[in-house]
PDB file of all heavy atoms in Angstrom:
ATOM      1  N   ARG I  25      25.702  16.204   0.454  1.00  0.00           N
ATOM      2  CA  ARG I  25      25.189  17.542   0.271  1.00  0.00           C
ATOM      3  C   ARG I  25      24.649  18.162   1.546  1.00  0.00           C
ATOM      4  O   ARG I  25      24.851  19.308   1.831  1.00  0.00           O
ATOM      5  CB  ARG I  25      23.991  17.531  -0.757  1.00  0.00           C
ATOM      6  CG  ARG I  25      24.496  17.556  -2.179  1.00  0.00           C
ATOM      7  CD  ARG I  25      23.361  17.674  -3.117  1.00  0.00           C
ATOM      8  NE  ARG I  25      23.044  16.356  -3.618  1.00  0.00           N
ATOM      9  CZ  ARG I  25      21.944  15.948  -4.118  1.00  0.00           C
ATOM     10  NH1 ARG I  25      20.957  16.769  -4.312  1.00  0.00           N
ATOM     11  NH2 ARG I  25      21.728  14.717  -4.499  1.00  0.00           N
ATOM     12  N   GLY I  29      26.788  21.058   2.697  1.00  0.00           N
ATOM     13  CA  GLY I  29      26.137  22.198   2.126  1.00  0.00           C
ATOM     14  C   GLY I  29      26.055  23.367   3.129  1.00  0.00           C
ATOM     15  O   GLY I  29      26.073  23.213   4.380  1.00  0.00           O
ATOM     16  N   GLY I  35      21.429  23.210   6.190  1.00  0.00           N
ATOM     17  CA  GLY I  35      21.533  23.588   7.641  1.00  0.00           C
ATOM     18  C   GLY I  35      20.366  23.128   8.474  1.00  0.00           C
ATOM     19  O   GLY I  35      20.504  22.603   9.552  1.00  0.00           O
ATOM     20  N   ALA I  42      20.307  16.498  14.318  1.00  0.00           N
ATOM     21  CA  ALA I  42      20.916  16.715  15.658  1.00  0.00           C
ATOM     22  C   ALA I  42      19.931  16.939  16.779  1.00  0.00           C
ATOM     23  O   ALA I  42      20.293  17.005  17.937  1.00  0.00           O
ATOM     24  CB  ALA I  42      21.912  17.867  15.595  1.00  0.00           C
ATOM     25  N   LEU I  49       8.679  30.327  11.308  1.00  0.00           N
ATOM     26  CA  LEU I  49       7.487  30.471  10.400  1.00  0.00           C
ATOM     27  C   LEU I  49       7.603  31.734   9.615  1.00  0.00           C
ATOM     28  O   LEU I  49       7.853  32.798  10.163  1.00  0.00           O
ATOM     29  CB  LEU I  49       6.196  30.549  11.318  1.00  0.00           C
ATOM     30  CG  LEU I  49       5.917  29.346  12.169  1.00  0.00           C
ATOM     31  CD1 LEU I  49       4.547  29.496  12.906  1.00  0.00           C
ATOM     32  CD2 LEU I  49       5.878  28.065  11.333  1.00  0.00           C
ATOM     33  N   LEU I  64     -11.789  26.838   5.440  1.00  0.00           N
ATOM     34  CA  LEU I  64     -12.123  25.441   5.627  1.00  0.00           C
ATOM     35  C   LEU I  64     -13.211  25.339   6.779  1.00  0.00           C
ATOM     36  O   LEU I  64     -14.122  24.571   6.682  1.00  0.00           O
ATOM     37  CB  LEU I  64     -10.895  24.628   5.984  1.00  0.00           C
ATOM     38  CG  LEU I  64      -9.934  24.411   4.839  1.00  0.00           C
ATOM     39  CD1 LEU I  64      -8.602  23.866   5.373  1.00  0.00           C
ATOM     40  CD2 LEU I  64     -10.534  23.470   3.802  1.00  0.00           C
ATOM     41  N   ALA I  73      -6.986  22.190  18.507  1.00  0.00           N
ATOM     42  CA  ALA I  73      -5.908  23.201  18.634  1.00  0.00           C
ATOM     43  C   ALA I  73      -4.596  22.644  18.086  1.00  0.00           C
ATOM     44  O   ALA I  73      -3.836  23.373  17.390  1.00  0.00           O
ATOM     45  CB  ALA I  73      -5.724  23.653  20.042  1.00  0.00           C
ATOM     46  N   ALA I  81       1.911  25.381  10.877  1.00  0.00           N
ATOM     47  CA  ALA I  81       3.341  25.130  10.843  1.00  0.00           C
ATOM     48  C   ALA I  81       3.732  24.367   9.599  1.00  0.00           C
ATOM     49  O   ALA I  81       4.771  24.657   8.960  1.00  0.00           O
ATOM     50  CB  ALA I  81       3.811  24.354  12.081  1.00  0.00           C
ATOM     51  N   TRP I  83       2.361  24.562   6.736  1.00  0.00           N
ATOM     52  CA  TRP I  83       2.243  25.515   5.651  1.00  0.00           C
ATOM     53  C   TRP I  83       3.361  26.537   5.692  1.00  0.00           C
ATOM     54  O   TRP I  83       3.911  26.909   4.658  1.00  0.00           O
ATOM     55  CB  TRP I  83       0.903  26.198   5.723  1.00  0.00           C
ATOM     56  CG  TRP I  83       0.481  27.092   4.613  1.00  0.00           C
ATOM     57  CD1 TRP I  83       1.206  28.137   4.089  1.00  0.00           C
ATOM     58  CD2 TRP I  83      -0.736  27.085   3.921  1.00  0.00           C
ATOM     59  NE1 TRP I  83       0.526  28.761   3.070  1.00  0.00           N
ATOM     60  CE2 TRP I  83      -0.638  28.123   2.983  1.00  0.00           C
ATOM     61  CE3 TRP I  83      -1.868  26.328   3.978  1.00  0.00           C
ATOM     62  CZ2 TRP I  83      -1.744  28.418   2.110  1.00  0.00           C
ATOM     63  CZ3 TRP I  83      -2.927  26.639   3.147  1.00  0.00           C
ATOM     64  CH2 TRP I  83      -2.831  27.643   2.195  1.00  0.00           C
ATOM     65  N   GLY I  98      -4.973  11.491  13.506  1.00  0.00           N
ATOM     66  CA  GLY I  98      -5.380  12.263  12.333  1.00  0.00           C
ATOM     67  C   GLY I  98      -4.249  12.778  11.526  1.00  0.00           C
ATOM     68  O   GLY I  98      -4.523  13.720  10.760  1.00  0.00           O
ATOM     69  N   LEU I 110      -3.060  23.627  -0.206  1.00  0.00           N
ATOM     70  CA  LEU I 110      -1.940  24.177  -1.003  1.00  0.00           C
ATOM     71  C   LEU I 110      -2.180  23.973  -2.475  1.00  0.00           C
ATOM     72  O   LEU I 110      -1.873  24.918  -3.273  1.00  0.00           O
ATOM     73  CB  LEU I 110      -0.626  23.557  -0.562  1.00  0.00           C
ATOM     74  CG  LEU I 110      -0.186  23.926   0.891  1.00  0.00           C
ATOM     75  CD1 LEU I 110       0.979  22.965   1.338  1.00  0.00           C
ATOM     76  CD2 LEU I 110       0.233  25.332   0.961  1.00  0.00           C
ATOM     77  N   ARG I 116       2.260  22.929  -6.780  1.00  0.00           N
ATOM     78  CA  ARG I 116       2.548  21.600  -7.195  1.00  0.00           C
ATOM     79  C   ARG I 116       3.312  20.841  -6.044  1.00  0.00           C
ATOM     80  O   ARG I 116       4.270  21.416  -5.513  1.00  0.00           O
ATOM     81  CB  ARG I 116       3.476  21.616  -8.463  1.00  0.00           C
ATOM     82  CG  ARG I 116       2.758  22.121  -9.671  1.00  0.00           C
ATOM     83  CD  ARG I 116       3.715  22.303 -10.797  1.00  0.00           C
ATOM     84  NE  ARG I 116       4.314  21.069 -11.260  1.00  0.00           N
ATOM     85  CZ  ARG I 116       3.763  20.234 -12.207  1.00  0.00           C
ATOM     86  NH1 ARG I 116       2.567  20.523 -12.695  1.00  0.00           N
ATOM     87  NH2 ARG I 116       4.350  19.165 -12.540  1.00  0.00           N
ATOM     88  N   THR I 125       2.418   1.488   0.595  1.00  0.00           N
ATOM     89  CA  THR I 125       1.203   1.558   1.446  1.00  0.00           C
ATOM     90  C   THR I 125       1.054   2.999   1.999  1.00  0.00           C
ATOM     91  O   THR I 125      -0.075   3.561   1.934  1.00  0.00           O
ATOM     92  CB  THR I 125       1.281   0.569   2.581  1.00  0.00           C
ATOM     93  OG1 THR I 125       1.412  -0.758   1.987  1.00  0.00           O
ATOM     94  CG2 THR I 125       0.081   0.614   3.465  1.00  0.00           C
ATOM     95  N   THR I 143     -14.571  19.559  -4.390  1.00  0.00           N
ATOM     96  CA  THR I 143     -13.612  20.385  -5.101  1.00  0.00           C
ATOM     97  C   THR I 143     -12.531  19.446  -5.628  1.00  0.00           C
ATOM     98  O   THR I 143     -11.823  18.775  -4.881  1.00  0.00           O
ATOM     99  CB  THR I 143     -12.949  21.409  -4.184  1.00  0.00           C
ATOM    100  OG1 THR I 143     -13.964  22.165  -3.555  1.00  0.00           O
ATOM    101  CG2 THR I 143     -12.106  22.353  -5.007  1.00  0.00           C
ATOM    102  N   ARG I 149      -0.360   9.288  -9.295  1.00  0.00           N
ATOM    103  CA  ARG I 149       0.431   8.285  -8.527  1.00  0.00           C
ATOM    104  C   ARG I 149       1.403   7.691  -9.447  1.00  0.00           C
ATOM    105  O   ARG I 149       1.106   7.046 -10.437  1.00  0.00           O
ATOM    106  CB  ARG I 149      -0.472   7.276  -7.889  1.00  0.00           C
ATOM    107  CG  ARG I 149       0.245   6.127  -7.134  1.00  0.00           C
ATOM    108  CD  ARG I 149       0.999   6.692  -5.955  1.00  0.00           C
ATOM    109  NE  ARG I 149       1.430   5.581  -5.038  1.00  0.00           N
ATOM    110  CZ  ARG I 149       2.536   4.912  -5.192  1.00  0.00           C
ATOM    111  NH1 ARG I 149       3.406   5.216  -6.119  1.00  0.00           N
ATOM    112  NH2 ARG I 149       2.835   3.890  -4.343  1.00  0.00           N
ATOM    113  N   SER I 156      -5.565  -0.597  -9.069  1.00  0.00           N
ATOM    114  CA  SER I 156      -7.057  -0.642  -9.057  1.00  0.00           C
ATOM    115  C   SER I 156      -7.689   0.231  -7.967  1.00  0.00           C
ATOM    116  O   SER I 156      -8.628   0.944  -8.292  1.00  0.00           O
ATOM    117  CB  SER I 156      -7.524  -2.085  -8.979  1.00  0.00           C
ATOM    118  OG  SER I 156      -6.938  -2.776  -7.847  1.00  0.00           O
ATOM    119  N   LEU I 172       3.274  13.599 -16.240  1.00  0.00           N
ATOM    120  CA  LEU I 172       2.724  14.656 -15.353  1.00  0.00           C
ATOM    121  C   LEU I 172       2.520  15.870 -16.192  1.00  0.00           C
ATOM    122  O   LEU I 172       3.281  16.092 -17.123  1.00  0.00           O
ATOM    123  CB  LEU I 172       3.745  14.986 -14.233  1.00  0.00           C
ATOM    124  CG  LEU I 172       3.770  14.182 -13.015  1.00  0.00           C
ATOM    125  CD1 LEU I 172       4.911  14.566 -12.109  1.00  0.00           C
ATOM    126  CD2 LEU I 172       2.416  14.295 -12.288  1.00  0.00           C
ATOM    127  N   ARG I 175       2.752  22.024 -16.217  1.00  0.00           N
ATOM    128  CA  ARG I 175       2.447  23.177 -15.421  1.00  0.00           C
ATOM    129  C   ARG I 175       1.137  22.999 -14.648  1.00  0.00           C
ATOM    130  O   ARG I 175       0.368  22.084 -14.931  1.00  0.00           O
ATOM    131  CB  ARG I 175       2.326  24.409 -16.280  1.00  0.00           C
ATOM    132  CG  ARG I 175       3.565  24.837 -16.911  1.00  0.00           C
ATOM    133  CD  ARG I 175       3.453  26.260 -17.481  1.00  0.00           C
ATOM    134  NE  ARG I 175       4.650  26.579 -18.210  1.00  0.00           N
ATOM    135  CZ  ARG I 175       4.668  27.015 -19.458  1.00  0.00           C
ATOM    136  NH1 ARG I 175       3.579  27.190 -20.067  1.00  0.00           N
ATOM    137  NH2 ARG I 175       5.789  27.278 -20.029  1.00  0.00           N
ATOM    138  N   ALA I 177      -1.273  23.253 -10.890  1.00  0.00           N
ATOM    139  CA  ALA I 177      -1.412  22.599  -9.653  1.00  0.00           C
ATOM    140  C   ALA I 177      -1.524  21.096  -9.841  1.00  0.00           C
ATOM    141  O   ALA I 177      -2.143  20.654 -10.773  1.00  0.00           O
ATOM    142  CB  ALA I 177      -2.593  23.106  -8.878  1.00  0.00           C
ATOM    143  N   ALA I 178      -0.892  20.341  -8.948  1.00  0.00           N
ATOM    144  CA  ALA I 178      -0.940  18.874  -9.007  1.00  0.00           C
ATOM    145  C   ALA I 178      -0.308  18.353  -7.716  1.00  0.00           C
ATOM    146  O   ALA I 178       0.463  18.931  -7.083  1.00  0.00           O
ATOM    147  CB  ALA I 178      -0.217  18.320 -10.227  1.00  0.00           C
ATOM    148  N   ALA I 182       4.607   9.378  -4.808  1.00  0.00           N
ATOM    149  CA  ALA I 182       5.641   8.465  -5.241  1.00  0.00           C
ATOM    150  C   ALA I 182       6.451   7.959  -4.017  1.00  0.00           C
ATOM    151  O   ALA I 182       6.628   8.736  -3.114  1.00  0.00           O
ATOM    152  CB  ALA I 182       6.596   9.132  -6.220  1.00  0.00           C
ATOM    153  N   ALA I 189      12.961   9.335 -10.207  1.00  0.00           N
ATOM    154  CA  ALA I 189      12.648   9.542 -11.609  1.00  0.00           C
ATOM    155  C   ALA I 189      12.106  10.935 -11.872  1.00  0.00           C
ATOM    156  O   ALA I 189      12.065  11.368 -13.043  1.00  0.00           O
ATOM    157  CB  ALA I 189      11.616   8.528 -12.106  1.00  0.00           C
ATOM    158  N   ASP I 192      14.432  14.950 -13.153  1.00  0.00           N
ATOM    159  CA  ASP I 192      14.765  15.570 -14.442  1.00  0.00           C
ATOM    160  C   ASP I 192      13.692  16.500 -14.888  1.00  0.00           C
ATOM    161  O   ASP I 192      12.576  16.050 -15.340  1.00  0.00           O
ATOM    162  CB  ASP I 192      14.991  14.472 -15.524  1.00  0.00           C
ATOM    163  CG  ASP I 192      16.229  13.630 -15.181  1.00  0.00           C
ATOM    164  OD1 ASP I 192      17.150  14.171 -14.577  1.00  0.00           O
ATOM    165  OD2 ASP I 192      16.193  12.446 -15.539  1.00  0.00           O
ATOM    166  N   ALA I 195       9.417  20.204 -11.637  1.00  0.00           N
ATOM    167  CA  ALA I 195       9.550  21.154 -10.517  1.00  0.00           C
ATOM    168  C   ALA I 195       8.340  21.028  -9.653  1.00  0.00           C
ATOM    169  O   ALA I 195       7.247  20.922 -10.131  1.00  0.00           O
ATOM    170  CB  ALA I 195       9.647  22.599 -11.091  1.00  0.00           C
TER     171      ALA I 195
END
Side-chain angles (χ1 to χ4, degrees):
R25 278 187 262 161
L49 299 183
L64 289 168
W83 186 309
L110 292 166
R116 292 173 65 85
T125 301
T143 308
R149 175 64 166 91
S156 56
L172 279 172
R175 291 193 186 126
D192 297 327

